[in-house]
Amino acid sequence: MTTTPPTAPVTGRPAPGPGPGAPASGAPDRIAAAGTALARAIQRVTASALGPYQSAVIRIGFAATYLFFLVRELPHRHELYGPDSPWHWDLARQLTAGNEAFSVLLWSDSVLWFEVVYALTILSAAGLLLGWRTRTMSVLFMVGVLSVQNRSVFMGDGGDNVIHLMAIYLVFTRCAQVWSLDARRAARDAERDALGLPPRRDAVGPVLWAVLGPVLLGATLMDGLGGTWWLPVLLWILWLSAAAWWAANRFAPGGQPRALLDVLANLAHNATLLVIMVEVCLIYATAGWYKIQGSRWQDGTALYYPLKLDYFAPWPALSDVLASSGLMVMVLTYATVIVQVAFPFTLFNRRLKNVLLVIMIGEHAGIALLLGLPFFSMAMIAADAVFLPTVFLVWLGGRAALGRRRLLGWLPGRSRSPEAGGPQEVPTARPAPKERDGTGEAPPPGTGGGHTLVG
């Protein structure tokens, strides 16, 4: 025999709820989930340098842009930035005394000094492009870019401003985690560590550190670092931090000082990557909104006028064909404004953002071809690369590696078969070595690259 439990009488009143000061139902769970998400975000930002492929493309893109520019202008370097420039050395000294700009070319008006600085700028751009001693090359590249551009500020186009800023930003990034000679050297050290072999002694890093120290000291004492306070502070911090990295790697590779340096480097890298993203968005947003205010952009004829200027017509026949179509001119004019204004708002939609990236890269390629501004276009395409998807960059790197293996396989004396001793791909993502004997920054675990400070 079963009995049913008595039921409470229905009184028509709602059940008593929690008091005014009681927490809402599920609030502790939501707070715990938010805390867990915040902890994971902080761990991700501090434990690894984000965007390794994007930062590598930025490094390669801007280094290649300025390297090609310097090489192209090699026959005209004296007229542009040297002793034969219309903007004379004395005028440059007067200008930098007023705006507190920095340029090592103003240390001396000697032709030999100009040739040395120009050659070192080319070498630093090539070293940064290859990712060799990347931290040192990034600092020398920044010094070279600032020196050359501040020597004759009226030379160049809008791309110079982008290169100017990115040369400073690259100093703070760990942009050699992949696709660099530093990453290949770190992978080889990791292989030696896995085999129980001691790391190879690095003599280049300490030599660079010892040579650059007296140069920095002399420039500081002679007040040759410009009138701004941040540049000498930055250079001294980088030089002293190189010694800290060397000491941590040599005496406490697995200790807390080494972990702290990794965290600081990751924070600087990730913050700088965010600044680069914001910078690109500001460039497009301001350019688009300024265009909206122009009457020629409003009526859809703005593109017609630069196509008819001889200065911006490397291919006059092609420019005439495009300018002869009023519909095409109007479509391209309006599309330029729409894409530039809309791009910052599309970052929240991955597919739409990728579509606009393709359109903008095509737009810059068209500017390079039709208006004869290749270096401006290269600089903007390199800046756009910060938003490229990682999957695409990994695929692109795989295609490039495959093409390199095939090319090397066709060379005389080399086999196309890895089994027969042919060229093999060097891995770029390996566990970091536990100890580095040279002056430099060992790659953090899982980043797959060694971005050195000096070594």
Side-chain angles (χ1 to χ4, degrees), residues 67-80 114-115 118-119 122:
L67 175 62
F68 294 158
F69 172 77
L70 294 176
V71 172
R72 190 194 72 169
E73 300 299 344
L74 197 61
H76 314 290
R77 62 190 184 280
H78 287 185
E79 291 78 10
L80 290 175
F114 168 77
E115 298 290 358
Y118 199 90
I122 291 178

Side-chain angles (χ1 to χ4, degrees), residues 181-192:
L181 296 180
D182 287 345
R184 187 174 68 172
R185 187 174 69 250
R188 290 177 176 175
D189 288 343
E191 291 177 353
R192 292 178 61 88

Side-chain angles (χ1 to χ4, degrees), residues 2-32:
T2 60
T3 59
T4 59
T7 58
V10 179
T11 62
R13 295 181 180 179
S25 176
D29 295 337
R30 290 194 295 269
I31 295 175

Side-chain angles (χ1 to χ4, degrees), residues 128-371:
L128 187 62
L129 172 65
L130 298 175
W132 181 79
R133 309 288 169 176
T134 312
R135 182 69 75 183
T136 306
M137 293 300 108
S138 65
V139 175
L140 296 179
F141 179 73
M142 177 190 70
V143 171
V145 169
L146 297 182
S147 299
V148 173
Q149 291 188 357
N150 291 336
R151 167 60 180 85
S152 298
V153 294
F154 301 106
M155 300 296 176
D157 47 44
D160 291 351
N161 296 328
V162 181
I163 296 175
H164 191 108
L165 293 173
M166 294 300 174
I168 300 174
Y169 296 155
L170 282 173
V171 174
F172 298 94
T173 62
R174 308 180 82 170
C175 54
Q177 299 175 91
V178 295
W179 299 342
S180 67
L181 296 180
D182 287 345
R184 187 174 68 172
R185 187 174 69 250
R188 290 177 176 175
D189 288 343
E191 291 177 353
R192 292 178 61 88
D193 183 71
L195 296 174
L197 299 176
R200 291 174 294 182
R201 185 173 298 275
D202 180 19
V204 178
V207 170
L208 288 174
W209 186 83
V211 170
L212 295 177
V215 175
L216 179 58
L217 179 62
T220 304
L221 295 178
M222 294 187 300
D223 195 21
L225 297 178
T228 56
W229 63 269
W230 63 268
L231 184 60
V233 171
L234 172 63
L235 294 177
W236 276 110
I237 289 176
L238 291 172
W239 189 76
L240 294 175
S241 63
W245 275 105
W246 181 87
N249 289 328
R250 182 68 180 270
F251 301 109
Q256 293 298 323
R258 179 65 175 81
L260 177 61
L261 292 175
D262 263 334
V263 169
L264 294 177
N266 291 333
L267 285 174
H269 169 91
N270 295 328
T272 305
L273 210 60
L274 178 61
V275 170
I276 293 175
M277 294 179 182
V278 174
E279 187 78 37
V280 175
C281 291
L282 286 175
I283 290 174
Y284 284 119
T286 53
W289 286 106
Y290 271 111
K291 287 181 174 66
I292 288 178
Q293 303 174 35
S295 59
R296 294 294 177 263
W297 291 96
Q298 293 175 6
D299 60 26
T301 61
L303 186 61
Y304 174 82
Y305 299 97
L307 291 175
K308 287 298 183 179
L309 293 176
D310 294 338
Y311 184 78
F312 293 107
W315 311 97
L318 184 59
S319 299
D320 291 340
V321 170
L322 182 59
S324 63
S325 174
L327 178 61
M328 184 62 66
V329 169
M330 183 185 67
V331 169
L332 292 178
T333 301
Y334 285 149
T336 300
V337 177
I338 293 172
V339 169
Q340 291 182 351
V341 172
F343 177 73
F345 302 99
T346 63
L347 298 181
F348 303 100
N349 188 301
R350 179 170 54 87
R351 293 182 179 180
L352 186 57
K353 180 260 297 182
N354 292 338
V355 172
L356 287 189
L357 272 178
V358 174
I359 295 175
M360 287 193 300
I361 292 175
E363 174 188 338
H364 291 307
I367 291 174
L369 179 64
L370 294 174
L371 302 183

Side-chain angles (χ1 to χ4, degrees), residues 23-47:
S25 176
D29 295 337
R30 290 194 295 269
I31 295 175
T36 302
L38 180 61
R40 289 177 178 175
I42 294 176
Q43 183 181 11
R44 179 171 174 80
V45 171
T46 57

